Structures are given as C-alpha cells and as structure tokens.
Amino acid sequence: MFGLFKSDPIKKLRKQYDQKQTDAMHAQRRGDIKTYSMLTAEAEALWQQIQKREENS
C-alpha cells in the first residue's frame, strides 16, 4: 500500500539519462565537442546503471 508513494529509482535514472543525452545533442550542435564527449560518457555510465538495476529487479 505504501509502495505507491515510493519513487522508482530506475525512472529517476532514465530521466537523468535523457537529460544528459539532450544536453549532449545541444553541445554537439554548438560545436562544443569536448562537452559533447563528456556528457555522452556520463550518459553511458547512467545507462550501465539502468541496465544493472533492471537485471536485478
């Protein structure tokens, strides 16, 4: 019953992943390749965390 009010950690990670991907896309369009690479690497790390949590669920 009270699980209804708990936040889903996978959903939170997916939201962060989507935001990193969007920020990376905007950096690439601006021509800021260094920032694009950094944000893409961070997004990839988040994706790995999502995959691990989904496997354990």
PDB file of all heavy atoms in Angstrom, residues 10-47:
ATOM      1  N   ILE A  10      14.799   3.555 -11.036  1.00  0.00           N
ATOM      2  CA  ILE A  10      15.085   3.368 -12.461  1.00  0.00           C
ATOM      3  C   ILE A  10      14.486   4.514 -13.263  1.00  0.00           C
ATOM      4  O   ILE A  10      15.109   5.031 -14.193  1.00  0.00           O
ATOM      5  CB  ILE A  10      14.574   2.001 -12.948  1.00  0.00           C
ATOM      6  CG1 ILE A  10      15.352   0.877 -12.258  1.00  0.00           C
ATOM      7  CG2 ILE A  10      14.694   1.888 -14.463  1.00  0.00           C
ATOM      8  CD1 ILE A  10      14.850  -0.518 -12.560  1.00  0.00           C
ATOM      9  N   LYS A  11      13.294   4.940 -12.886  1.00  0.00           N
ATOM     10  CA  LYS A  11      12.650   6.052 -13.584  1.00  0.00           C
ATOM     11  C   LYS A  11      13.475   7.336 -13.423  1.00  0.00           C
ATOM     12  O   LYS A  11      13.645   8.097 -14.377  1.00  0.00           O
ATOM     13  CB  LYS A  11      11.236   6.254 -13.038  1.00  0.00           C
ATOM     14  CG  LYS A  11      10.438   7.286 -13.760  1.00  0.00           C
ATOM     15  CD  LYS A  11       9.027   7.347 -13.220  1.00  0.00           C
ATOM     16  CE  LYS A  11       8.212   8.392 -13.929  1.00  0.00           C
ATOM     17  NZ  LYS A  11       6.849   8.488 -13.390  1.00  0.00           N
ATOM     18  N   LYS A  12      14.003   7.538 -12.229  1.00  0.00           N
ATOM     19  CA  LYS A  12      14.836   8.710 -11.969  1.00  0.00           C
ATOM     20  C   LYS A  12      16.113   8.668 -12.809  1.00  0.00           C
ATOM     21  O   LYS A  12      16.520   9.675 -13.394  1.00  0.00           O
ATOM     22  CB  LYS A  12      15.183   8.771 -10.480  1.00  0.00           C
ATOM     23  CG  LYS A  12      15.941   9.993 -10.080  1.00  0.00           C
ATOM     24  CD  LYS A  12      16.196  10.017  -8.591  1.00  0.00           C
ATOM     25  CE  LYS A  12      17.013  11.219  -8.200  1.00  0.00           C
ATOM     26  NZ  LYS A  12      17.279  11.247  -6.757  1.00  0.00           N
ATOM     27  N   LEU A  13      16.746   7.487 -12.895  1.00  0.00           N
ATOM     28  CA  LEU A  13      17.957   7.341 -13.697  1.00  0.00           C
ATOM     29  C   LEU A  13      17.666   7.562 -15.179  1.00  0.00           C
ATOM     30  O   LEU A  13      18.460   8.179 -15.890  1.00  0.00           O
ATOM     31  CB  LEU A  13      18.581   5.963 -13.484  1.00  0.00           C
ATOM     32  CG  LEU A  13      19.309   5.739 -12.170  1.00  0.00           C
ATOM     33  CD1 LEU A  13      19.718   4.279 -12.030  1.00  0.00           C
ATOM     34  CD2 LEU A  13      20.524   6.635 -12.066  1.00  0.00           C
ATOM     35  N   ARG A  14      16.534   7.056 -15.656  1.00  0.00           N
ATOM     36  CA  ARG A  14      16.169   7.257 -17.058  1.00  0.00           C
ATOM     37  C   ARG A  14      15.970   8.734 -17.370  1.00  0.00           C
ATOM     38  O   ARG A  14      16.354   9.214 -18.436  1.00  0.00           O
ATOM     39  CB  ARG A  14      14.908   6.481 -17.415  1.00  0.00           C
ATOM     40  CG  ARG A  14      15.147   5.020 -17.614  1.00  0.00           C
ATOM     41  CD  ARG A  14      13.891   4.360 -18.175  1.00  0.00           C
ATOM     42  NE  ARG A  14      14.081   2.944 -18.311  1.00  0.00           N
ATOM     43  CZ  ARG A  14      14.603   2.360 -19.390  1.00  0.00           C
ATOM     44  NH1 ARG A  14      15.010   3.093 -20.394  1.00  0.00           N
ATOM     45  NH2 ARG A  14      14.744   1.059 -19.446  1.00  0.00           N
ATOM     46  N   LYS A  15      15.374   9.455 -16.435  1.00  0.00           N
ATOM     47  CA  LYS A  15      15.159  10.889 -16.633  1.00  0.00           C
ATOM     48  C   LYS A  15      16.502  11.621 -16.716  1.00  0.00           C
ATOM     49  O   LYS A  15      16.702  12.487 -17.565  1.00  0.00           O
ATOM     50  CB  LYS A  15      14.311  11.445 -15.489  1.00  0.00           C
ATOM     51  CG  LYS A  15      13.844  12.845 -15.701  1.00  0.00           C
ATOM     52  CD  LYS A  15      12.864  13.262 -14.621  1.00  0.00           C
ATOM     53  CE  LYS A  15      12.319  14.638 -14.905  1.00  0.00           C
ATOM     54  NZ  LYS A  15      11.340  15.052 -13.914  1.00  0.00           N
ATOM     55  N   GLN A  16      17.451  11.244 -15.832  1.00  0.00           N
ATOM     56  CA  GLN A  16      18.784  11.839 -15.872  1.00  0.00           C
ATOM     57  C   GLN A  16      19.489  11.482 -17.174  1.00  0.00           C
ATOM     58  O   GLN A  16      20.159  12.334 -17.780  1.00  0.00           O
ATOM     59  CB  GLN A  16      19.625  11.352 -14.697  1.00  0.00           C
ATOM     60  CG  GLN A  16      19.191  11.884 -13.358  1.00  0.00           C
ATOM     61  CD  GLN A  16      19.977  11.278 -12.212  1.00  0.00           C
ATOM     62  OE1 GLN A  16      20.687  10.291 -12.386  1.00  0.00           O
ATOM     63  NE2 GLN A  16      19.849  11.866 -11.034  1.00  0.00           N
ATOM     64  N   TYR A  17      19.337  10.231 -17.610  1.00  0.00           N
ATOM     65  CA  TYR A  17      19.952   9.771 -18.862  1.00  0.00           C
ATOM     66  C   TYR A  17      19.420  10.574 -20.047  1.00  0.00           C
ATOM     67  O   TYR A  17      20.194  11.053 -20.878  1.00  0.00           O
ATOM     68  CB  TYR A  17      19.659   8.281 -19.053  1.00  0.00           C
ATOM     69  CG  TYR A  17      20.082   7.743 -20.399  1.00  0.00           C
ATOM     70  CD1 TYR A  17      21.416   7.480 -20.670  1.00  0.00           C
ATOM     71  CD2 TYR A  17      19.145   7.498 -21.398  1.00  0.00           C
ATOM     72  CE1 TYR A  17      21.808   6.984 -21.895  1.00  0.00           C
ATOM     73  CE2 TYR A  17      19.532   7.003 -22.624  1.00  0.00           C
ATOM     74  CZ  TYR A  17      20.858   6.754 -22.870  1.00  0.00           C
ATOM     75  OH  TYR A  17      21.239   6.275 -24.094  1.00  0.00           O
ATOM     76  N   ASP A  18      18.104  10.738 -20.106  1.00  0.00           N
ATOM     77  CA  ASP A  18      17.502  11.505 -21.203  1.00  0.00           C
ATOM     78  C   ASP A  18      17.996  12.949 -21.207  1.00  0.00           C
ATOM     79  O   ASP A  18      18.260  13.516 -22.274  1.00  0.00           O
ATOM     80  CB  ASP A  18      15.980  11.478 -21.103  1.00  0.00           C
ATOM     81  CG  ASP A  18      15.389  10.120 -21.409  1.00  0.00           C
ATOM     82  OD1 ASP A  18      16.079   9.297 -22.060  1.00  0.00           O
ATOM     83  OD2 ASP A  18      14.241   9.864 -21.001  1.00  0.00           O
ATOM     84  N   GLN A  19      18.134  13.536 -20.015  1.00  0.00           N
ATOM     85  CA  GLN A  19      18.605  14.917 -19.923  1.00  0.00           C
ATOM     86  C   GLN A  19      20.052  15.036 -20.391  1.00  0.00           C
ATOM     87  O   GLN A  19      20.400  15.972 -21.116  1.00  0.00           O
ATOM     88  CB  GLN A  19      18.465  15.442 -18.496  1.00  0.00           C
ATOM     89  CG  GLN A  19      18.810  16.914 -18.363  1.00  0.00           C
ATOM     90  CD  GLN A  19      17.896  17.798 -19.182  1.00  0.00           C
ATOM     91  OE1 GLN A  19      16.686  17.629 -19.179  1.00  0.00           O
ATOM     92  NE2 GLN A  19      18.470  18.741 -19.905  1.00  0.00           N
ATOM     93  N   LYS A  20      20.900  14.084 -20.013  1.00  0.00           N
ATOM     94  CA  LYS A  20      22.306  14.095 -20.461  1.00  0.00           C
ATOM     95  C   LYS A  20      22.387  13.966 -21.974  1.00  0.00           C
ATOM     96  O   LYS A  20      23.181  14.640 -22.619  1.00  0.00           O
ATOM     97  CB  LYS A  20      23.102  12.958 -19.814  1.00  0.00           C
ATOM     98  CG  LYS A  20      23.313  13.096 -18.351  1.00  0.00           C
ATOM     99  CD  LYS A  20      24.414  14.062 -18.028  1.00  0.00           C
ATOM    100  CE  LYS A  20      24.611  14.094 -16.523  1.00  0.00           C
ATOM    101  NZ  LYS A  20      25.490  15.146 -16.116  1.00  0.00           N
ATOM    102  N   GLN A  21      21.556  13.088 -22.538  1.00  0.00           N
ATOM    103  CA  GLN A  21      21.551  12.901 -23.991  1.00  0.00           C
ATOM    104  C   GLN A  21      21.124  14.198 -24.694  1.00  0.00           C
ATOM    105  O   GLN A  21      21.717  14.583 -25.702  1.00  0.00           O
ATOM    106  CB  GLN A  21      20.608  11.766 -24.383  1.00  0.00           C
ATOM    107  CG  GLN A  21      21.116  10.399 -24.012  1.00  0.00           C
ATOM    108  CD  GLN A  21      22.261   9.970 -24.907  1.00  0.00           C
ATOM    109  OE1 GLN A  21      23.379  10.451 -24.793  1.00  0.00           O
ATOM    110  NE2 GLN A  21      21.965   9.055 -25.786  1.00  0.00           N
ATOM    111  N   THR A  22      20.112  14.854 -24.150  1.00  0.00           N
ATOM    112  CA  THR A  22      19.642  16.114 -24.738  1.00  0.00           C
ATOM    113  C   THR A  22      20.713  17.190 -24.638  1.00  0.00           C
ATOM    114  O   THR A  22      20.971  17.918 -25.608  1.00  0.00           O
ATOM    115  CB  THR A  22      18.359  16.576 -24.031  1.00  0.00           C
ATOM    116  OG1 THR A  22      17.371  15.554 -24.151  1.00  0.00           O
ATOM    117  CG2 THR A  22      17.823  17.863 -24.642  1.00  0.00           C
ATOM    118  N   ASP A  23      21.345  17.296 -23.472  1.00  0.00           N
ATOM    119  CA  ASP A  23      22.410  18.292 -23.293  1.00  0.00           C
ATOM    120  C   ASP A  23      23.582  18.010 -24.239  1.00  0.00           C
ATOM    121  O   ASP A  23      24.172  18.933 -24.801  1.00  0.00           O
ATOM    122  CB  ASP A  23      22.909  18.297 -21.852  1.00  0.00           C
ATOM    123  CG  ASP A  23      21.860  18.825 -20.873  1.00  0.00           C
ATOM    124  OD1 ASP A  23      20.878  19.444 -21.325  1.00  0.00           O
ATOM    125  OD2 ASP A  23      22.034  18.598 -19.662  1.00  0.00           O
ATOM    126  N   ALA A  24      23.901  16.731 -24.419  1.00  0.00           N
ATOM    127  CA  ALA A  24      24.989  16.360 -25.324  1.00  0.00           C
ATOM    128  C   ALA A  24      24.654  16.744 -26.761  1.00  0.00           C
ATOM    129  O   ALA A  24      25.511  17.242 -27.498  1.00  0.00           O
ATOM    130  CB  ALA A  24      25.259  14.861 -25.227  1.00  0.00           C
ATOM    131  N   MET A  25      23.403  16.530 -27.158  1.00  0.00           N
ATOM    132  CA  MET A  25      22.987  16.888 -28.505  1.00  0.00           C
ATOM    133  C   MET A  25      23.139  18.397 -28.738  1.00  0.00           C
ATOM    134  O   MET A  25      23.651  18.830 -29.768  1.00  0.00           O
ATOM    135  CB  MET A  25      21.538  16.477 -28.751  1.00  0.00           C
ATOM    136  CG  MET A  25      21.018  16.881 -30.116  1.00  0.00           C
ATOM    137  SD  MET A  25      19.233  16.760 -30.268  1.00  0.00           S
ATOM    138  CE  MET A  25      18.665  17.945 -29.081  1.00  0.00           C
ATOM    139  N   HIS A  26      22.738  19.191 -27.741  1.00  0.00           N
ATOM    140  CA  HIS A  26      22.846  20.645 -27.883  1.00  0.00           C
ATOM    141  C   HIS A  26      24.311  21.086 -27.928  1.00  0.00           C
ATOM    142  O   HIS A  26      24.659  22.000 -28.685  1.00  0.00           O
ATOM    143  CB  HIS A  26      22.104  21.355 -26.755  1.00  0.00           C
ATOM    144  CG  HIS A  26      20.616  21.215 -26.833  1.00  0.00           C
ATOM    145  ND1 HIS A  26      19.865  21.666 -27.901  1.00  0.00           N
ATOM    146  CD2 HIS A  26      19.738  20.660 -25.982  1.00  0.00           C
ATOM    147  CE1 HIS A  26      18.601  21.402 -27.707  1.00  0.00           C
ATOM    148  NE2 HIS A  26      18.484  20.772 -26.533  1.00  0.00           N
ATOM    149  N   ALA A  27      25.155  20.434 -27.139  1.00  0.00           N
ATOM    150  CA  ALA A  27      26.582  20.761 -27.163  1.00  0.00           C
ATOM    151  C   ALA A  27      27.173  20.436 -28.530  1.00  0.00           C
ATOM    152  O   ALA A  27      27.981  21.200 -29.068  1.00  0.00           O
ATOM    153  CB  ALA A  27      27.323  19.998 -26.065  1.00  0.00           C
ATOM    154  N   GLN A  28      26.772  19.318 -29.109  1.00  0.00           N
ATOM    155  CA  GLN A  28      27.274  18.927 -30.421  1.00  0.00           C
ATOM    156  C   GLN A  28      26.843  19.935 -31.477  1.00  0.00           C
ATOM    157  O   GLN A  28      27.620  20.319 -32.343  1.00  0.00           O
ATOM    158  CB  GLN A  28      26.775  17.536 -30.782  1.00  0.00           C
ATOM    159  CG  GLN A  28      27.334  17.010 -32.086  1.00  0.00           C
ATOM    160  CD  GLN A  28      26.787  15.641 -32.422  1.00  0.00           C
ATOM    161  OE1 GLN A  28      25.667  15.305 -32.061  1.00  0.00           O
ATOM    162  NE2 GLN A  28      27.587  14.845 -33.112  1.00  0.00           N
ATOM    163  N   ARG A  29      25.612  20.383 -31.395  1.00  0.00           N
ATOM    164  CA  ARG A  29      25.117  21.368 -32.367  1.00  0.00           C
ATOM    165  C   ARG A  29      25.832  22.702 -32.243  1.00  0.00           C
ATOM    166  O   ARG A  29      25.979  23.422 -33.222  1.00  0.00           O
ATOM    167  CB  ARG A  29      23.612  21.562 -32.185  1.00  0.00           C
ATOM    168  CG  ARG A  29      22.824  20.389 -32.687  1.00  0.00           C
ATOM    169  CD  ARG A  29      21.355  20.653 -32.611  1.00  0.00           C
ATOM    170  NE  ARG A  29      20.612  19.517 -33.128  1.00  0.00           N
ATOM    171  CZ  ARG A  29      19.311  19.436 -33.142  1.00  0.00           C
ATOM    172  NH1 ARG A  29      18.570  20.423 -32.653  1.00  0.00           N
ATOM    173  NH2 ARG A  29      18.707  18.375 -33.635  1.00  0.00           N
ATOM    174  N   ARG A  30      26.272  23.027 -31.014  1.00  0.00           N
ATOM    175  CA  ARG A  30      27.028  24.268 -30.807  1.00  0.00           C
ATOM    176  C   ARG A  30      28.466  24.130 -31.268  1.00  0.00           C
ATOM    177  O   ARG A  30      29.189  25.117 -31.379  1.00  0.00           O
ATOM    178  CB  ARG A  30      27.037  24.649 -29.327  1.00  0.00           C
ATOM    179  CG  ARG A  30      25.741  25.205 -28.792  1.00  0.00           C
ATOM    180  CD  ARG A  30      25.935  25.798 -27.399  1.00  0.00           C
ATOM    181  NE  ARG A  30      26.657  24.924 -26.482  1.00  0.00           N
ATOM    182  CZ  ARG A  30      26.103  24.097 -25.601  1.00  0.00           C
ATOM    183  NH1 ARG A  30      24.798  24.004 -25.524  1.00  0.00           N
ATOM    184  NH2 ARG A  30      26.854  23.362 -24.805  1.00  0.00           N
ATOM    185  N   GLY A  31      28.906  22.907 -31.498  1.00  0.00           N
ATOM    186  CA  GLY A  31      30.278  22.670 -31.925  1.00  0.00           C
ATOM    187  C   GLY A  31      31.227  22.444 -30.762  1.00  0.00           C
ATOM    188  O   GLY A  31      32.442  22.438 -30.941  1.00  0.00           O
ATOM    189  N   ASP A  32      30.686  22.247 -29.568  1.00  0.00           N
ATOM    190  CA  ASP A  32      31.496  22.029 -28.371  1.00  0.00           C
ATOM    191  C   ASP A  32      31.695  20.520 -28.196  1.00  0.00           C
ATOM    192  O   ASP A  32      31.013  19.860 -27.430  1.00  0.00           O
ATOM    193  CB  ASP A  32      30.786  22.635 -27.161  1.00  0.00           C
ATOM    194  CG  ASP A  32      31.632  22.636 -25.909  1.00  0.00           C
ATOM    195  OD1 ASP A  32      32.776  22.126 -25.974  1.00  0.00           O
ATOM    196  OD2 ASP A  32      31.161  23.147 -24.885  1.00  0.00           O
ATOM    197  N   ILE A  33      32.662  19.993 -28.921  1.00  0.00           N
ATOM    198  CA  ILE A  33      32.877  18.548 -28.971  1.00  0.00           C
ATOM    199  C   ILE A  33      33.386  18.006 -27.636  1.00  0.00           C
ATOM    200  O   ILE A  33      33.031  16.897 -27.234  1.00  0.00           O
ATOM    201  CB  ILE A  33      33.845  18.186 -30.115  1.00  0.00           C
ATOM    202  CG1 ILE A  33      33.268  18.671 -31.456  1.00  0.00           C
ATOM    203  CG2 ILE A  33      34.100  16.695 -30.158  1.00  0.00           C
ATOM    204  CD1 ILE A  33      31.890  18.144 -31.791  1.00  0.00           C
ATOM    205  N   LYS A  34      34.181  18.786 -26.921  1.00  0.00           N
ATOM    206  CA  LYS A  34      34.700  18.326 -25.627  1.00  0.00           C
ATOM    207  C   LYS A  34      33.540  18.094 -24.643  1.00  0.00           C
ATOM    208  O   LYS A  34      33.478  17.052 -23.983  1.00  0.00           O
ATOM    209  CB  LYS A  34      35.676  19.348 -25.061  1.00  0.00           C
ATOM    210  CG  LYS A  34      36.332  18.920 -23.786  1.00  0.00           C
ATOM    211  CD  LYS A  34      37.353  19.942 -23.332  1.00  0.00           C
ATOM    212  CE  LYS A  34      38.024  19.499 -22.046  1.00  0.00           C
ATOM    213  NZ  LYS A  34      38.997  20.493 -21.582  1.00  0.00           N
ATOM    214  N   THR A  35      32.630  19.039 -24.553  1.00  0.00           N
ATOM    215  CA  THR A  35      31.467  18.900 -23.672  1.00  0.00           C
ATOM    216  C   THR A  35      30.567  17.776 -24.148  1.00  0.00           C
ATOM    217  O   THR A  35      30.051  17.001 -23.339  1.00  0.00           O
ATOM    218  CB  THR A  35      30.680  20.221 -23.605  1.00  0.00           C
ATOM    219  OG1 THR A  35      31.551  21.255 -23.140  1.00  0.00           O
ATOM    220  CG2 THR A  35      29.488  20.111 -22.666  1.00  0.00           C
ATOM    221  N   TYR A  36      30.413  17.662 -25.454  1.00  0.00           N
ATOM    222  CA  TYR A  36      29.603  16.574 -26.011  1.00  0.00           C
ATOM    223  C   TYR A  36      30.162  15.221 -25.598  1.00  0.00           C
ATOM    224  O   TYR A  36      29.417  14.343 -25.155  1.00  0.00           O
ATOM    225  CB  TYR A  36      29.572  16.686 -27.547  1.00  0.00           C
ATOM    226  CG  TYR A  36      29.064  15.447 -28.232  1.00  0.00           C
ATOM    227  CD1 TYR A  36      27.717  15.135 -28.219  1.00  0.00           C
ATOM    228  CD2 TYR A  36      29.932  14.582 -28.883  1.00  0.00           C
ATOM    229  CE1 TYR A  36      27.239  13.988 -28.838  1.00  0.00           C
ATOM    230  CE2 TYR A  36      29.476  13.441 -29.501  1.00  0.00           C
ATOM    231  CZ  TYR A  36      28.129  13.148 -29.487  1.00  0.00           C
ATOM    232  OH  TYR A  36      27.671  12.015 -30.091  1.00  0.00           O
ATOM    233  N   SER A  37      31.461  15.060 -25.687  1.00  0.00           N
ATOM    234  CA  SER A  37      32.102  13.796 -25.315  1.00  0.00           C
ATOM    235  C   SER A  37      31.929  13.500 -23.826  1.00  0.00           C
ATOM    236  O   SER A  37      31.636  12.367 -23.438  1.00  0.00           O
ATOM    237  CB  SER A  37      33.591  13.833 -25.636  1.00  0.00           C
ATOM    238  OG  SER A  37      33.789  14.009 -27.011  1.00  0.00           O
ATOM    239  N   MET A  38      32.088  14.516 -23.010  1.00  0.00           N
ATOM    240  CA  MET A  38      31.948  14.343 -21.570  1.00  0.00           C
ATOM    241  C   MET A  38      30.512  13.947 -21.205  1.00  0.00           C
ATOM    242  O   MET A  38      30.295  13.005 -20.426  1.00  0.00           O
ATOM    243  CB  MET A  38      32.327  15.639 -20.849  1.00  0.00           C
ATOM    244  CG  MET A  38      32.271  15.552 -19.342  1.00  0.00           C
ATOM    245  SD  MET A  38      32.663  17.116 -18.526  1.00  0.00           S
ATOM    246  CE  MET A  38      31.291  18.123 -19.058  1.00  0.00           C
ATOM    247  N   LEU A  39      29.533  14.631 -21.776  1.00  0.00           N
ATOM    248  CA  LEU A  39      28.138  14.334 -21.474  1.00  0.00           C
ATOM    249  C   LEU A  39      27.718  12.964 -22.004  1.00  0.00           C
ATOM    250  O   LEU A  39      26.951  12.254 -21.351  1.00  0.00           O
ATOM    251  CB  LEU A  39      27.228  15.428 -22.057  1.00  0.00           C
ATOM    252  CG  LEU A  39      27.317  16.789 -21.377  1.00  0.00           C
ATOM    253  CD1 LEU A  39      26.561  17.835 -22.185  1.00  0.00           C
ATOM    254  CD2 LEU A  39      26.792  16.718 -19.957  1.00  0.00           C
ATOM    255  N   THR A  40      28.244  12.593 -23.149  1.00  0.00           N
ATOM    256  CA  THR A  40      27.941  11.276 -23.703  1.00  0.00           C
ATOM    257  C   THR A  40      28.507  10.177 -22.808  1.00  0.00           C
ATOM    258  O   THR A  40      27.839   9.159 -22.569  1.00  0.00           O
ATOM    259  CB  THR A  40      28.499  11.150 -25.124  1.00  0.00           C
ATOM    260  OG1 THR A  40      27.941  12.193 -25.941  1.00  0.00           O
ATOM    261  CG2 THR A  40      28.150   9.815 -25.738  1.00  0.00           C
ATOM    262  N   ALA A  41      29.701  10.386 -22.282  1.00  0.00           N
ATOM    263  CA  ALA A  41      30.302   9.403 -21.373  1.00  0.00           C
ATOM    264  C   ALA A  41      29.491   9.287 -20.079  1.00  0.00           C
ATOM    265  O   ALA A  41      29.268   8.183 -19.572  1.00  0.00           O
ATOM    266  CB  ALA A  41      31.739   9.795 -21.061  1.00  0.00           C
ATOM    267  N   GLU A  42      29.017  10.411 -19.562  1.00  0.00           N
ATOM    268  CA  GLU A  42      28.187  10.385 -18.357  1.00  0.00           C
ATOM    269  C   GLU A  42      26.864   9.673 -18.630  1.00  0.00           C
ATOM    270  O   GLU A  42      26.388   8.909 -17.784  1.00  0.00           O
ATOM    271  CB  GLU A  42      27.927  11.801 -17.863  1.00  0.00           C
ATOM    272  CG  GLU A  42      29.151  12.482 -17.289  1.00  0.00           C
ATOM    273  CD  GLU A  42      28.910  13.933 -16.932  1.00  0.00           C
ATOM    274  OE1 GLU A  42      27.746  14.390 -16.954  1.00  0.00           O
ATOM    275  OE2 GLU A  42      29.895  14.625 -16.622  1.00  0.00           O
ATOM    276  N   ALA A  43      26.285   9.918 -19.801  1.00  0.00           N
ATOM    277  CA  ALA A  43      25.035   9.253 -20.166  1.00  0.00           C
ATOM    278  C   ALA A  43      25.247   7.750 -20.294  1.00  0.00           C
ATOM    279  O   ALA A  43      24.400   6.954 -19.872  1.00  0.00           O
ATOM    280  CB  ALA A  43      24.494   9.834 -21.469  1.00  0.00           C
ATOM    281  N   GLU A  44      26.375   7.359 -20.832  1.00  0.00           N
ATOM    282  CA  GLU A  44      26.682   5.935 -20.977  1.00  0.00           C
ATOM    283  C   GLU A  44      26.821   5.264 -19.612  1.00  0.00           C
ATOM    284  O   GLU A  44      26.356   4.134 -19.414  1.00  0.00           O
ATOM    285  CB  GLU A  44      27.960   5.763 -21.792  1.00  0.00           C
ATOM    286  CG  GLU A  44      28.199   4.367 -22.275  1.00  0.00           C
ATOM    287  CD  GLU A  44      27.130   3.866 -23.232  1.00  0.00           C
ATOM    288  OE1 GLU A  44      26.600   4.665 -24.021  1.00  0.00           O
ATOM    289  OE2 GLU A  44      26.821   2.662 -23.188  1.00  0.00           O
ATOM    290  N   ALA A  45      27.435   5.968 -18.660  1.00  0.00           N
ATOM    291  CA  ALA A  45      27.565   5.429 -17.303  1.00  0.00           C
ATOM    292  C   ALA A  45      26.196   5.270 -16.650  1.00  0.00           C
ATOM    293  O   ALA A  45      25.926   4.269 -15.978  1.00  0.00           O
ATOM    294  CB  ALA A  45      28.451   6.343 -16.462  1.00  0.00           C
ATOM    295  N   LEU A  46      25.312   6.234 -16.875  1.00  0.00           N
ATOM    296  CA  LEU A  46      23.946   6.123 -16.350  1.00  0.00           C
ATOM    297  C   LEU A  46      23.219   4.941 -16.979  1.00  0.00           C
ATOM    298  O   LEU A  46      22.490   4.217 -16.299  1.00  0.00           O
ATOM    299  CB  LEU A  46      23.161   7.417 -16.611  1.00  0.00           C
ATOM    300  CG  LEU A  46      23.495   8.598 -15.723  1.00  0.00           C
ATOM    301  CD1 LEU A  46      22.818   9.861 -16.245  1.00  0.00           C
ATOM    302  CD2 LEU A  46      23.074   8.329 -14.292  1.00  0.00           C
ATOM    303  N   TRP A  47      23.433   4.738 -18.279  1.00  0.00           N
ATOM    304  CA  TRP A  47      22.789   3.623 -18.959  1.00  0.00           C
ATOM    305  C   TRP A  47      23.243   2.286 -18.373  1.00  0.00           C
ATOM    306  O   TRP A  47      22.433   1.377 -18.216  1.00  0.00           O
ATOM    307  CB  TRP A  47      23.063   3.682 -20.454  1.00  0.00           C
ATOM    308  CG  TRP A  47      22.334   2.610 -21.190  1.00  0.00           C
ATOM    309  CD1 TRP A  47      22.864   1.499 -21.758  1.00  0.00           C
ATOM    310  CD2 TRP A  47      20.928   2.541 -21.414  1.00  0.00           C
ATOM    311  NE1 TRP A  47      21.858   0.750 -22.326  1.00  0.00           N
ATOM    312  CE2 TRP A  47      20.668   1.359 -22.133  1.00  0.00           C
ATOM    313  CE3 TRP A  47      19.861   3.371 -21.076  1.00  0.00           C
ATOM    314  CZ2 TRP A  47      19.384   0.981 -22.505  1.00  0.00           C
ATOM    315  CZ3 TRP A  47      18.594   2.993 -21.450  1.00  0.00           C
ATOM    316  CH2 TRP A  47      18.354   1.817 -22.156  1.00  0.00           C
TER     317      TRP A  47
END
